[in-house]
Amino acid sequence: MEKIKTGVPGLDEMLYGGIIKGRPYLVAGGPGTGKTTLCVQFLMEGLKNNEKALYLSLEEQADELKEDMALFGWNLDKIRVIDTSQDLSTGVWSLRTVGLISKPEFNLKNLVNVIKEKIEDYGPQRVIIDSLTSVKMLYDDRMTARKEILGFMNVLSRLGCTTILTSESSGPDTLMEEFLACGVIKLFVIEEKGERLNALLIQKMRGSKFDNHIRPVKITDKGMIVYATESVFK
Ligand SMILES: Nc1ncnc2c1ncn2[C@@H]1O[C@H](COP(=O)(O)OP(=O)(O)OP(=O)(O)O)[C@@H](O)[C@H]1O
Ligand SMILES: [Mg+2]
């Protein structure tokens, strides 16, 4: 099984070299914990090896994402960025591809199919879906959501791309997608004595050894760094 680097210093050491290629992974965390930063850093790492990268932004507008990521010195021009926007009066979503002709509108129920189509058309090695929380909200009941998300992850595996999906989580509750993904990385904020500390935990990683300690994280002007040998508990 071939491993690929995430491109996040410290995290690759915690993962004994990286994540197994061709599988779907989940990065879950609260607001502003660095989910998007980690994901874009993963795609930038792929670009170093001339891999194709696709970023599906379901919540943030592509132009804002590009501006935010420029702060880390990352130019997203070589990444295929697709964003969606929903017309609130009709409930219809449209999928926009930056720099390309705008795509036809589609209904909520078709979102997953559209994602599949995009990946098949472009053939990227690395894919980000940010965030799965929006996809999950397409379903009224948990059973259907779980079945559909599992089906979607299986499709992603068959397409051969290594995918990171993000999920919003706040608090200790386990999300259903944590059971379905091949690996789960959690990002969170620890508050102690009025100080905020960003932290990372590898919750699971099928088929691989990994460091199972909570490690401190810093977001710097070059992106995310994990301190793989430091403890958050003093
Ligand atoms: N140069 C920098 N130095 C330190 N922190 C930074 C720097 N640039 C951005 N940040 C911070 O990094 C955090 C991570 O942002 P990011 O968008 O990756 O989080 P997120 O988990 O995707 O958030 P959301 O839930 O809103 O999508 C933000 O709070 C941002 O303010
Ligand atoms: Mg984000």
Side-chain angles (χ1 to χ4, degrees), residues 30-37 39 55 57 59-60 65 68-69 130-131 166 168:
T33 50
K35 301 182 293 296
T36 300
T37 306
C39 288
Y55 187 104
S57 181
E59 261 142 45
E60 197 173 345
L65 175 80
D68 294 350
M69 295 302 123
D130 190 9
S131 74
T166 68
E168 290 159 26

Side-chain angles (χ1 to χ4, degrees), residues 15-173:
L15 291 161
Y16 291 83
I19 51 180
I20 296 170
K21 198 176 161 180
R23 297 184 173 190
Y25 297 91
L26 186 76
V27 170
T33 50
K35 301 182 293 296
T36 300
T37 306
L38 190 159
C39 288
V40 175
Q41 203 160 335
F42 168 74
L43 296 187
M44 297 307 293
E45 178 66 25
L47 292 189
K48 289 185 195 163
N49 315 318
N50 292 314
E51 291 174 25
K52 283 198 222 171
L54 186 141
Y55 187 104
L56 203 102
S57 181
L58 296 173
E59 261 142 45
E60 197 173 345
Q61 296 297 310
D63 44 2
E64 285 177 17
L65 175 80
K66 290 195 171 194
E67 281 172 23
D68 294 350
M69 295 302 123
L71 293 175
F72 298 121
W74 298 334
N75 181 346
L76 270 57
D77 287 351
K78 289 215 169 97
I79 292 173
R80 178 73 58 96
V81 179
I82 298 170
D83 72 3
T84 62
S85 46
Q86 188 179 24
D87 181 335
L88 293 174
S89 58
T90 59
V92 174
W93 290 65
S94 57
L95 197 63
R96 308 188 309 170
T97 307
V98 176
L100 295 176
I101 326 137
S102 62
K103 299 291 164 193
E105 289 176 334
F106 62 94
N107 273 319
L108 284 179
K109 301 274 176 208
N110 293 330
L111 181 59
V112 171
N113 285 332
V114 175
I115 295 171
K116 259 190 254 176
E117 230 172 74
K118 294 281 156 202
I119 295 172
E120 277 164 348
D121 285 354
Y122 189 54
Q125 281 84 8
R126 296 189 185 216
V127 174
I128 298 298
I129 295 165
D130 190 9
S131 74
L132 183 66
T133 306
S134 341
V135 180
K136 217 164 69 170
M137 286 183 331
L138 307 183
Y139 303 99
D140 300 328
D141 77 289
R142 280 180 61 85
M143 283 273 279
T144 315
R146 189 179 171 121
K147 212 177 92 206
E148 296 288 315
I149 291 169
L150 183 59
F152 180 45
M153 289 197 187
N154 289 338
V155 169
L156 292 168
S157 294
R158 278 200 295 277
L159 291 170
C161 49
T162 310
T163 310
I164 300 179
L165 306 111
T166 68
S167 269
E168 290 159 26
S169 73
S170 46
D173 290 352

Side-chain angles (χ1 to χ4, degrees), residues 200-215:
L200 178 148
L201 170 73
I202 301 171
Q203 175 87 42
K204 73 171 199 185
M205 209 42 70
R206 289 182 191 150
S208 171
K209 269 206 306 189
F210 63 89
D211 170 22
N212 61 4
H213 294 92
I214 299 174
R215 300 297 183 187

